[in-house]
Structures are given as structure tokens and as C-alpha cells.
């Protein structure tokens, strides 16, 4: 059994992994960059080591340095979290060579699934449906036109090494085709160091629905149901929920079987996610596999009661998965909102900086996976996520109401956050009726941006002012009649001023 884990990551995911380790009686080692010397994961772990300057390529992406620290600290395993080195074949191989267990799949599976073209070929071979498109890289421009004719416009040009929504180009008109391919190639080259692109049919109004899988070295591969991730902005997930309000029990079973087959096709071991696109007629197509833990994994944990990090550690230790497929049930409904340090009402501008005040929601059915605290400065070097807010309800309606209540309780000052924007999503009629696809945010942007009615928040702020005045009048310091309330038309600014100044 693994005894000491080095977490090659930072932020909320490093804290989250340490939590499971502590419950399992496993020692933890944190690594940190200059900017993270005061970060929560550093305080939470049993030991912490500085690995370099703030930019990721000099610290969290420096695999050799991290392995050195693992050996020095006596860690027998490395958990990569998500992002950074989590899907890096070379790093996984180096861990193995150094005699350290990489908590993730074998290098072969990472390579096979990390390249989108080879992943598509593998899926076709085992009969898992893929989005119609090319099986080879795009070479000459003549064949590009021919392929687009065959598939039919619109198409998407995708980087084979792509990820994070980068290196994708939508083409609706034939005359844009060649320039789009060229642009995608140069974008792919600069973002991933590889200009291989391929062509895929553009699925209109799709749902992004993914399946969580787990596989051990004893021949067991199971799925832990789906996550509906169609609330996206620029191909990046914003809100996730499970069960999906879109799929039927039959489709769930069919997609679950396909997900297990997909994992088995590469002899997958560990936790992974099979992403599918589902069209308006409920046809599903394999999109890609993420060979690591996902940001949105807690909603799966909430409805299945399975701690995915503990399962990852068990599997990496050579133990079997702790449950069988038949024992699993989805109970109730879970939703996750990603709380980002950005200003949604100013073109989603990143807003790093000092957290002056933070009070997180709590109560029945609420979980926050975060790492920020009062006085902590969110660094500019890394992604802008402050925390993930996860709620559970017996059914979807209860979960939505609970999410609204939790967002209402969430207070962060000092940096701008996406909290109000998320509240607008929860208030949206189409979201509430479960009637949405990946275009939801784009199509509802006007409504989501409308903060004229600030709802209950105004009343809460007013209540604080009223309570203060009540207190002041009782103390005999002021008379209520001395004051008038003022506010701008949209209530963006409001307050109380003295009608009669004493001088
Ligand atoms: P990445 O690896 O960069 O995250 P994905 O292939 O997973 O890229 O796609 C990300 C998102 O882009 C999907 O969730 C979906 O919204 C959109 N997308 C990708 N491929 C297609 C397609 N063929 N048709 C329509 N939308 C697509």
C-alpha cells in the first residue's frame, strides 16, 4: 500500500487530494512555487518543498525537479491532480523509472488517448461511435475540400494534440476552409508544439455529456454514470450536473457500456473520463478521453458516495476497486459551479489579487472545494479558479434551490468573481427546465448579463444598513428622520445620506 504521496499540483485540487490521503493515514508532500509560498496546500500537507519560480514551466511543470523532491522526501507515489503534468507521458514514464508510482494510467494509455486522431482510430476499432470525420491528419489542401464535401459543412478543424478548448476552428462556408485549416495548424503549433489537425463534422446544438470510469489491475472496469457539462463558455465548462436532465435511462446504459468499452480498448487503469457529444436526436459520439481526475469529479462523488481519489490510490496500490458496478446507484442530484476570479460583467476579465474577505456557504448538502483564505493573494500565474461549489438535493429542483441559497451566502471581496453570473444561470428559465445545450451561455448572454435587478442581494445589504441605523437611533445618537435613502436607477449604487447636516 502507498504510504506517502507527493502532490504535483497546487490550488484546490492539491488540498482535495491531501484530504483523502489524511483520511487514509497516508503522509503527504506538497510542492510549491515562489508565488505559492503561503498557499493552503503548503500548510495542509505534512511536508512542503519549494520547487522554483512562479511561472509553471519553472515549477509545476518541472518534472525532473518534482521527482527529485519525491525521492528526497521518501514519497513512494505522485498524484498529478489535473492540468500540469497529469497527462504527460514522459513524466509518467520517468516516475516509473525512478521507482515511484504515478497515480494515473500507464504511459501507453496516456499517449493513445492524448492524441485525438489515434483515440478516434482506437474507438472505431472497438465499435464506439465517433463524430464523423477524418481518420488521418490533414495533409494537402486538395483533400481538405474533398473531405469537407463528403462530410458536409459545417465542419470543425481540430488540433490532434488539442485541449482546453484551444486549436479548434468552426467552418460554415467553403471559401473559409483553407484559411481555417492554416490558422488551426499555426495555432496548434504554437499552443501544443504540433501542427497536426483533422476535420470533424460540426454537431449542431450538442450536449457535452461525459462518463466517469474506474479500472483496476484485476480486470474490473466500471462507470460511475454521467456528468452533463453543456453549460460552457468558449468551450470551457462553467456549471456541471448529474444526472443529466437530457438523457434517458436506456441511453445512460448504452453510453455507460460504450464508456467501459472505450477504457478497455486501451487497457486503461485508474480514473478516467470518456467525453461524448450527444446531438438533438440523442445520437452520441465519442469526443475524447481525459486520462486523469476531472475538475468536476465531486458531483459524481456526491451522487454515488464514492471518494474517487481514494479509489485512485487503492488502484495505484494494486488493490481492486472497492465496489462492483451493480452496487452503484445515482442517488439525488448534484450541481457544481466554478467560482472564478474574473469579472463576468466586464468581458470576463481575469481579476487576480488580494482576498479581503471570504465567507463560504455551508449547511446541509453543500460542499466547497477551495483554497483561498482571507489575506491570500490569488497569483496571476495560474488559472483563475478560486473554488468549486457543489450542492446536492434529493431532486433537481431542490439542488437548484440549494445552489441559489449557497451562492447567496458566498461572500468574497477584494477580487471580482463569477458568483453573480452563476446566480443568473440558476435563475434562467431554460436552465431550470433542463432545456439547454452547449450554446446556452452564448444564446442567453443578454439575459445573463442583465444585473438591473440585483434581487435579494440588495435587500441583504439594505438590511445591514437598516440594522445599523436601528442601533444608532436606539443609542440616541441619531433620529431616523435625519436621513434619506438614495439609489441609482439600477440600484448599482445606493446608500443613506443625512438630510440635515448639523453644521
Ligand atoms: P478540448 O480537448 O479542447 O477540451 P473537446 O474536443 O473536448 O476539446 O471539445 C470541447 C467542446 O467543444 C465540446 O464540449 C463542445 O462544446 C465543442 N465541440 C467539440 N467538437 C465539436 C463538434 N464536432 N461539434 C460541435 N461542438 C463540438
Amino acid at each position: 500500500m502507498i504510504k506517502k504521496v507527493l502532490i504535483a499540483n497546487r490550488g484546490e485540487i492539491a488540498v482535495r487530494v491531501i484530504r483523502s490521503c489524511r483520511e487514509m493515514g497516508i503522509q503527504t508532500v506538497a510542492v510549491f512555487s515562489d508565488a505559492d509560498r503561503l498557499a493552503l496546500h503548503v500548510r495542509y500537507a505534512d511536508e512542503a518543498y519549494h520547487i522554483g519560480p512562479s511561472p509553471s514551466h519553472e515549477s509545476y511543470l518541472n518534472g525532473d525537479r518534482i521527482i527529485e523532491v519525491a525521492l528526497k522526501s521518501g514519497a513512494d507515489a505522485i498524484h498529478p491532480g489535473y492540468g500540469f503534468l497529469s497527462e504527460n507521458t514522459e513524466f509518467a514514464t520517468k516516475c516509473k523509472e525512478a521507482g515511484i508510482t504515478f497515480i494515473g494510467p500507464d504511459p501507453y494509455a496516456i499517449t493513445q488517448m492524448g492524441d485525438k486522431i489515434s483515440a478516434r482510430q482506437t474507438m472505431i476499432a472497438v465499435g464506439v461511435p465517433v463524430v464523423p470525420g477524418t481518420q488521418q491528419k490533414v495533409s494537402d489542401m486538395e483533400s481538405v475540400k474533398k473531405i469537407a464535401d463528403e462530410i458536409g459543412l459545417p465542419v470543425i478543424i481540430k488540433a490532434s494534440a488539442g485541449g482546453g478548448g484551444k486549436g479548434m476552428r468552426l467552418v460554415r462556408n467553403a471559401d473559409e476552409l483553407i484559411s481555417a485549416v492554416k490558422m488551426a495548424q499555426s495555432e496548434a503549433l504554437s499552443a501544443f508544439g504540433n501542427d497536426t489537425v483533422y476535420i470533424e463534422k460540426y454537431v449542431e446544438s450538442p450536449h457535452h455529456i461525459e462518463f466517469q470510469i474506474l479500472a483496476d489491475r484485476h480486470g474490473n472496469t466500471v462507470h460511475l454514470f454521467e456528468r452533463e457539462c453543456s453549460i460552457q463558455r468558449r468551450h470551457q465548462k462553467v456549471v456541471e450536473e448529474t444526472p443529466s436532465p437530457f438523457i434517458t435511462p436506456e441511453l445512460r446504459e448504452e453510453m455507460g457500456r460504450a464508456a467501459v468499452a472505450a477504457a478497455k480498448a486501451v487497457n486503461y487503469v485508474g480514473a478516467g473520463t470518456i467525453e461524448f457529444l450527444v446531438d438533438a436526436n440523442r445520437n452520441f459520439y465519442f469526443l475524447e478521453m481525459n486520462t486523469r481526475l476531472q475538475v468536476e469529479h465531486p458531483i459524481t462523488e456526491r451522487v454515488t458516495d464514492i471518494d474517487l481519489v481514494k479509489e485512485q490510490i487503492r488502484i495505484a496500490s494494486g488493490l481492486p476497486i472497492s465496489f462492483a458496478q451493480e452496487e452503484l446507484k445515482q442517488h439525488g442530484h448534484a450541481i457544481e459551479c466554478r467560482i472564478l476570479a474574473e469579472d463576468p460583467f466586464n468581458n470576463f476579465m481575469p481579476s487576480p489579487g488580494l482576498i479581503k474577505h471570504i465567507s463560504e456557504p455551508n449547511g446541509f448538502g453543500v460542499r466547497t472545494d477551495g483554497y483561498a483564505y482571507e489575506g491570500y493573494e490569488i497569483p496571476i500565474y495560474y488559472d483563475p479558479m478560486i473554488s468549486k461549489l457543489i450542492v446536492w438535493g434529493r431532486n433537481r429542483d431542490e439542488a437548484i434551490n440549494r445552489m441559489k441559497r449557497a451562492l447567496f451566502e458566498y461572500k468574497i471581496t477584494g477580487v471580482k468573481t463569477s458568483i453573480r453570473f452563476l446566480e443568473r444561470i440558476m435563475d434562467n428559465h431554460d436552465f431550470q427546465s433542463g432545456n439547454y445545450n452547449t450554446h446556452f451561455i452564448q444564446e442567453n448572454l443578454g439575459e445573463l448579463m442583465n444585473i438591473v435587478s440585483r434581487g435579494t442581494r440588495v435587500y441583504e445589504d439594505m438590511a445591514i444598513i437598516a440594522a445599523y441605523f436601528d442601533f444608532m437611533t436606539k443609542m440616541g445618537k441619531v433620529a431616523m428622520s435625519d436621513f434619506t435613502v438614495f439609489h441609482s436607477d439600477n440600484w448599482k449604487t445606493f446608500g443613506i445620506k443625512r438630510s440635515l447636516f448639523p453644521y
Side-chain angles (χ1 to χ4, degrees), residues 68-232:
E68 219 176 275
V69 171
L71 292 171
K72 187 168 107 186
S73 63
D76 47 5
I78 293 184
H79 193 302
Y82 52 69
F84 296 131
L85 296 167
S86 61
E87 292 177 291
N88 184 313
T89 313
E90 197 188 325
F91 180 67
T93 310
K94 281 186 178 173
C95 287
K96 212 171 177 176
E97 285 165 3
I100 294 165
T101 304
F102 177 77
I103 304 181
D106 295 330
Y108 165 77
I110 304 180
T111 310
Q112 206 61 11
M113 288 302 198
D115 180 82
K116 293 192 188 203
I117 294 178
S118 78
R120 281 166 64 81
Q121 290 166 344
T122 311
M123 291 306 110
I124 293 166
V126 293
V128 173
V130 301
V131 182
T134 50
Q135 262 43 272
Q136 305 297 338
K137 71 180 262 184
V138 165
S139 45
D140 61 298
M141 294 302 160
E142 263 319 296
S143 59
V144 168
K145 285 189 190 137
K146 214 172 125 234
I147 292 159
D149 271 350
E150 273 165 32
I151 311 173
L153 291 171
V155 294
I156 248 183
I157 319 287
K158 276 193 181 180
S160 196
K166 290 194 201 84
M168 260 190 279
R169 292 243 154 212
L170 170 63
V171 182
R172 287 196 180 274
N173 302 314
D175 49 353
E176 294 165 7
L177 199 59
I178 302 296
S179 66
V181 169
K182 287 187 177 148
M183 266 194 283
Q185 281 173 330
S186 77
E187 232 173 74
L189 188 64
S190 69
F192 313 109
N194 176 346
D195 73 351
T196 306
V197 300
Y198 68 101
I199 305 178
E200 213 174 77
K201 173 88 189 147
Y202 179 69
V203 181
E204 299 280 359
S205 312
H207 282 247
H208 173 122
I209 299 176
E210 58 187 32
F211 273 69
Q212 176 70 51
I213 66 103
L214 281 176
D216 62 23
R217 293 198 189 279
H218 300 260
N220 306 303
T221 305
V222 299
H223 73 82
L224 292 88
F225 311 105
E226 81 280 12
R227 292 185 287 257
E228 168 72 70
C229 306
S230 299
I231 306 284
Q232 304 181 345

Side-chain angles (χ1 to χ4, degrees), residues 297-308:
H297 76 276
I299 57 172
T300 298
E301 297 188 319
R302 199 60 191 78
V303 298
T304 59
D305 292 335
I306 301 296
D307 182 323
L308 287 167

Side-chain angles (χ1 to χ4, degrees), residues 401-432:
N401 287 328
R402 187 161 283 155
M403 182 57 89
K404 285 201 218 174
R405 185 270 287 173
L407 287 167
F408 171 75
E409 282 177 19
Y410 220 139
K411 300 281 179 319
I412 300 173
T413 62
V415 299
K416 296 264 187 349
T417 75
S418 55
I419 293 174
R420 294 239 173 103
F421 183 68
L422 294 162
E423 282 182 322
R424 301 292 296 153
I425 295 177
M426 292 301 128
D427 283 337
N428 179 279
H429 180 261
D430 285 339
F431 178 77
Q432 289 182 353

